[in-house]
Amino acid sequence: MEFAGVYARYHTWMDIPEHTLPVTLLEGNTPLIPMPKLAESLGGGFSLWVKFEGMNPTGSFKDRGMTIAIGEAAGRGAKVVICASTGNTAASAAAYAARAGLRCVVLIPKGKVAAGKLAGAVAHGADVIQIEGSFDDALSVVVEISNRHPIALVNSLNPYRLEGQKTAAFEICEILGSAPDWLCLPVGNAGNITSYWMGFRQYHAAHSCGLPHILGVQAQGSAPLVLGHPVEQPETVATAIRIGKPARGEEALSAASESGGQIMAASDDEILAMQRLLAASGVWVEPASAAGLAGLKKQLDQGRMDVRGQRVVAVCTGHGMKDPDIIAKSMQPPALLPLDYKAIEKTILKGLQ
Ligand code: AN7
């Protein structure tokens, strides 16, 4: 069967209004990549897959929810959509709004959005407003604007975002034949962890495919769900999850406890080290997307989790290409040589010894 996006494939599984229109860029159906080498380097004895959500049309998992949120907004006659964003939501909203012929307004925290994400929002014709504040400040402004004006909010407070995002859980169960034992993923505003837990429970109710334990991982400098209180000035190299007051925090904590999992924090160094390990296996993700696996590694190293004989899926939420500056900062820059055959040959052979 030809794959025509998450609405076409799964809309009968979604609690969405009749008026929702299919507005698709053929999102979803992302690869579940076996990672045997990485599993070995984490101690071995278990099976590991990466659900590479960076392979969606705008390079992140946000497309799964945005196709539904924008389709719903367009179907009820909205002309303008709005969101706050650390970057990926903005790029996704801009693309799907363009597809549906809607105006898109995005609010982003000044100086804290990766270049590729901002460029995406601009390329698709969104009105981008940078504010002197955090993502959390931006979210409270857009919520108020959408309450006062006929402008549709497409952040994950919008329930139709979750209806679309939960389809990733269905895909994992379909490929593996049942749910994995563990699902690891990064947590920012906590829409995605909430969506996965909804998806796994729904699929289990229909197909008795089991339920995973969920390991949600925040960045240490912005870990409100670990600390138990909001973080006023969140900081992390993983700018996608630089969020101090998660809108779906309660649901995230429930997903972790009901599933027998947990929410934990990983440091920026641990996140960047995992980004390099993933890249060494051929999968280049943005820093936030390495957080889930950074958390898994930390738990395994400290003997706090035992996954021997089990199946673990790590969700890598966004593509590395959207945040190339991080690589320039954290790795060796390329050698620069004159166009001199001997000098180039010498450098190459030195690397071979
Ligand atoms: C790559 O784009 O919040 O816990 O405004 O871009 O569902 O928020 C991005 C979040 C993980 C966290 N990985 O997901 C935004 C935004 C990547 C992300 C998350 C984000 P949620």
Side-chain angles (χ1 to χ4, degrees):
M1 189 182 72
E2 198 178 325
F3 187 84
V6 299
Y7 177 88
R9 176 80 176 83
Y10 293 114
H11 70 92
T12 57
W13 291 74
M14 294 178 194
D15 186 6
I16 53 176
E18 279 292 318
H19 63 242
T20 305
L21 296 172
V23 177
T24 186
L25 291 162
L26 306 192
E27 62 294 319
N29 200 25
T30 54
L32 189 67
I33 307 174
M35 303 295 289
K37 193 170 105 180
L38 184 56
E40 274 314 307
S41 76
L42 299 184
F46 68 102
S47 302
L48 178 65
W49 290 264
V50 159
K51 179 70 169 162
F52 194 16
E53 289 288 284
M55 296 300 283
N56 276 297
T58 77
S60 86
F61 73 100
K62 303 286 183 184
D63 296 345
R64 285 181 191 276
M66 208 53 81
T67 178
I68 307 300
I70 298 282
E72 189 280 327
R76 81 174 124 95
K79 299 281 177 265
V80 188
V81 298
I82 195 166
C83 63
S85 182
T86 58
N88 280 321
T89 299
S92 184
Y96 284 82
R99 193 82 173 162
L102 307 181
R103 185 178 157 213
C104 177
V105 182
V106 305
L107 260 68
I108 59 171
K110 179 183 148 212
K112 299 292 181 180
V113 169
K117 302 175 188 176
L118 178 54
V122 172
H124 295 302
D127 294 330
V128 180
I129 300 169
Q130 302 192 66
I131 59 155
E132 285 169 355
S134 66
F135 166 84
D136 306 288
D137 299 323
L139 184 59
S140 61
V141 173
V142 299
V143 167
E144 189 167 343
I145 296 216
S146 68
N147 283 337
R148 290 186 185 199
H149 303 280
I151 297 179
L153 182 71
V154 295
N155 280 103
S156 59
L157 284 165
N158 178 325
Y160 310 124
R161 281 274 309 279
L162 307 193
E163 292 296 322
Q165 281 175 212
K166 74 184 180 187
T167 59
F170 303 162
E171 290 176 12
I172 291 171
C173 293
E174 281 166 11
I175 299 281
L176 294 183
S178 58
D181 297 287
W182 280 93
L183 184 88
C184 314
L185 80 173
V187 175
N189 214 25
N192 211 29
I193 186 171
T194 304
S195 306
Y196 270 96
W197 188 232
M198 280 168 54
F200 281 117
R201 278 182 306 170
Q202 189 178 0
Y203 213 75
H204 178 59
H207 297 297
S208 302
C209 64
L211 292 168
H213 307 293
I214 298 195
L215 181 69
V217 186
Q218 302 204 284
Q220 209 152 291
S222 47
L225 300 178
V226 179
L227 296 170
H229 59 77
V231 175
E232 290 303 326
Q233 290 182 324
E235 264 318 330
T236 169
V237 69
T239 51
I241 52 173
R242 187 176 167 274
I243 294 174
K245 295 174 196 154
R248 299 263 180 196
E250 290 302 322
E251 290 101 316
L253 292 167
S254 301
S257 65
E258 286 171 21
S259 73
Q262 70 173 121
I263 297 192
M264 61 173 297
S267 70
D268 280 5
D269 284 350
E270 289 162 342
I271 288 171
L272 291 175
M274 183 51 69
Q275 184 191 29
R276 289 193 290 273
L277 261 184
L278 276 159
S281 280
V283 180
W284 183 22
V285 307
E286 65 168 279
S289 300
L293 275 165
L296 175 71
K297 178 173 169 24
K298 189 169 182 174
Q299 295 305 77
L300 294 175
D301 286 351
Q302 298 182 356
R304 293 216 204 96
M305 259 171 77
D306 184 359
V307 294
R308 270 172 302 176
Q310 297 192 340
R311 300 191 302 176
V312 180
V313 170
V315 183
C316 287
T317 43
H319 206 291
M321 285 194 269
K322 290 169 111 181
D323 196 358
D325 300 346
I326 295 289
I327 299 300
K329 281 181 202 147
S330 72
M331 296 187 84
Q332 284 285 331
L336 177 61
L337 297 175
L339 183 52
D340 168 352
Y341 178 85
K342 279 282 168 210
I344 298 171
E345 182 184 55
K346 198 171 145 205
T347 302
I348 292 170
L349 294 183
K350 195 163 61 189
L352 290 181
Q353 277 158 15

